[in-house]
Each structure stands twice: as C-alpha cells, then as structure tokens.
Amino acid sequence: MKALVTRLDSFGDVLLAGPAIRAVAARADHVTLLCGPLGEPAARMLPGVDEVVVWDAPWAGFDPPPVRRAEIERLTGALDADTALILTSFHQSPLPTALLLRLAGVRHLAADSVDYPGSLLDVRHQRAPHAHEAEAALDLAEAAGFPRVDDGRLAILPPPDTRDLTGEEPYVVLHPGASVPARAWSPGRCADAVRELTAAGHRVAVTGGRGERELTARVAGDTGLDLGGRTDAPALAGVLARAAAVVTGNTGPAHLAAAVGTPVVSLFAPVVPAERWRPYGVAYVLLGDQSAPCAGSRARTCPVPGHPCLESVTAHDVVAAVEKVMQA
C-alpha cells in the first residue's frame, strides 16, 4: 500500500505530524509526505518518510501564491498513493487538499472536517475539542486504520554532533525569533535573560536563522554564544539535543526541542491556544499571560499596546523556569 500524508503549513506543524506519520509507516509499504516549503526541512528529518513532495498551496501559509492550473496539474500528475491522511490545524479546512487528491486519483481519503465533504472524504473524523495538535493527528490516523505504534512523542532522525559550534555541555539555548511578531518576546527582554542566565551560572547559546543575525548578536551581547545564521535545521536539532533547556516562543524550535527530548521554557503568546500548541511530550514551563485580551485571536501582530502577554514575563521568571525544567 502506498500512503500519502499531507501537512502543508509550517516547520513546527510538520514536526507535530511525526507521530501520526510513524503510525502510517508501520502499515504502509511507502509513505510520501506532501508539505509546503516552510515545512520541508522538518519533513526531511522525520522517521517513516520515504519521499517528500513540496508544494506551495494557495490555501496555506502567510503569503500564499495565486492559483495556477499548470501547477495543480503538475502536482496531481506526480502524486501516486492508494490512501491519504490530510492533516490540518483545528481552524483549517482539509477540503481543498481533498479535492486535489481526488483529482490525483487517491482512492481513500481521511481528514478532520467540520464542513460537509460530499464525496471528497471517505473518513470524516471529528477531532476532540481540546486535543493537542499531535494527539489530534494520531486520533485521525487511528480512525483511518493506522493505530499508534509507539509512545507517540515527537521524534526526528539522529541529528549531527554540533560540539564544534557549541563546545562541551552544559549550556542553555535561547531562541529569540518567531514566525510572526505576536509570538516573539522583545529583543531587550531576551538580552536581559541571557545576562541573568549567565549570572546564574548558565552558559547560553543564542540561535537564529540567517535573516536573524542582527537579532541574535544583540541578544547574545558580550556574554552569550551567538549562533545566528550558523545552523541549518539538522544542525539546530543537534544544538538543541545537547542543551540542558531551551527558551523560546511558540515557534518551530520549541517543537524541534521536544523532538530531541530537551525540556522547554515556552514564552507562549495566547494568540493560539496553548493546550493545542504547547511543547509536547517533554518537561516544560509555560510563561506568558494566557488570559490576555489577544487570546484566541490568531493575530500575527499584537493587537494590544505594549504586548502585555509576553512583556509581563521577566528575565528572573525565565531563570527560575530554566532551573525548574532542568530538575524535572
């Protein structure tokens, strides 16, 4: 049996699909993962994936492309599967993807859907109201005939040794960036946390992408180790795997830390529900006012002056949380 799993949005979303993908892989002869460009680096690190197909869907992402018939025809001609699991977030519809997969000739489709699917789905599943995204994906897989086969935690293929970047353990990672401004702690607060963690006896590595070098340099200051722009996804996984704890917002590195078993101090802006997106399967401390006025808004830029949900968190709070998760 050839199986297809789709998860078309971001890096962290693809990591959260990992346990469900392993369940599918246990019963399928070949597993293809259809993902978006942002999710591709995560897709290539997941156990159980035999093939990765990348497509920038017009109904996913922050800057979706226009609908192009030629692109859709190219994709539907390239896909080859008997059954498919369409994974989406709780607020997304699987039906555009289901239509595409029907055009590609996939015979059996399963998805969570609150909308009437007509003939687009064979398994129309209803997710539990407060399920974490990883649990919701596992529940859907089971409903489609792929029961869980392991502990259901996040996992990736073994990352590389990154001691040439970090030096020897122990160290704490602080990742200040986020995919949207509403989910990021301010650079000043992050820099304060690096200084306070250092004063408390922790060596701190500051990570970030190539476009975040100015941010990581500011945050690392004179006391932190600036790794901005020096890690691709596998190398970042290696850095996180050897960390004693990771401090970051609700963004991909939080889920990557969980996938390598490292505890997380989560600076969690409540624009999306923490019960669905918190670090999964590892020790964590959640910081941030979860009852702030922005709660549930899915805002990309904070709609409340002063960003109070995260700016209420202090460097002292972070130091205390790091020491708590390190003892868990």
Side-chain angles (χ1 to χ4, degrees):
M1 174 180 59
K2 295 180 179 180
L4 174 71
V5 180
T6 73
R7 185 75 210 216
L8 292 171
D9 26 29
S10 296
F11 183 93
D13 303 307
V14 172
L15 291 175
L16 292 173
I21 290 169
R22 297 197 304 271
V24 173
R27 295 203 169 201
D29 301 308
H30 185 275
V31 177
T32 298
L33 176 54
L34 175 62
C35 66
L38 294 177
E40 180 182 5
R44 298 197 181 280
M45 294 193 289
L46 290 180
V49 175
D50 299 298
E51 179 184 7
V52 175
V53 176
V54 182
W55 188 58
D56 198 1
W59 52 86
F62 297 138
D63 187 22
V67 176
R68 294 188 176 96
R69 181 188 295 269
E71 282 291 304
I72 291 175
E73 290 176 348
R74 179 191 64 79
L75 180 67
T76 55
L79 296 177
D80 180 20
D82 306 301
T83 186
L85 205 65
I86 304 170
L87 301 179
T88 56
S89 296
F90 71 98
H91 56 83
Q92 297 170 330
S93 172
L95 299 186
T97 305
L99 176 60
L100 183 148
L101 297 184
R102 284 293 193 220
L103 292 173
V106 182
R107 295 189 299 273
H108 189 267
L109 301 179
D112 291 323
S113 183
V114 298
D115 300 314
Y116 173 64
S119 61
L120 294 180
L121 296 178
D122 301 288
V123 177
R124 178 193 182 189
H125 185 251
Q126 298 291 319
R127 70 166 60 199
H130 303 289
H132 191 282
E133 291 293 305
E135 285 288 340
L138 279 167
D139 290 345
L140 174 60
E142 185 164 14
F146 301 103
R148 64 183 71 198
V149 292
D150 53 34
D151 62 11
R153 295 188 178 190
L154 307 191
I156 60 167
L157 299 171
D161 188 323
T162 52
R163 278 175 285 191
D164 58 329
L165 289 173
T166 63
E168 294 296 331
E169 303 171 39
Y171 59 87
V172 171
V173 169
L174 191 148
H175 186 93
S179 55
V180 294
R183 299 185 187 184
W185 205 27
S186 69
R189 291 285 201 204
C190 290
D192 289 344
V194 170
R195 288 190 292 269
E196 290 292 332
L197 285 164
T198 303
H202 302 285
R203 191 161 63 91
V204 184
V206 180
T207 56
R210 283 176 292 184
E212 297 175 319
R213 287 173 175 161
E214 184 176 341
L215 170 63
T216 60
R218 176 181 173 184
V219 170
D222 297 329
T223 58
L225 172 64
D226 181 10
L227 297 181
R230 299 176 63 189
T231 55
D232 59 9
L236 179 60
V239 170
L240 299 181
R242 296 178 55 249
V246 175
V247 181
T248 187
N250 174 28
T251 191
H255 303 303
L256 188 57
V260 295
T262 301
V264 179
V265 174
S266 177
L267 294 152
F268 200 102
V271 290
V272 295
E275 66 183 1
R276 294 187 172 106
W277 295 102
R278 60 170 175 76
Y280 186 76
V282 293
Y284 71 95
V285 170
L286 206 67
L287 298 178
D289 181 3
Q290 301 304 299
S291 61
C294 64
S297 66
R298 302 207 298 271
R300 300 179 191 177
T301 301
C302 182
V304 184
H307 205 188
C309 67
L310 290 185
E311 289 305 284
S312 60
V313 179
T314 68
H316 176 76
D317 295 331
V318 167
V319 173
V322 164
E323 294 178 349
K324 180 177 180 179
V325 296
M326 286 175 60
Q327 295 169 7

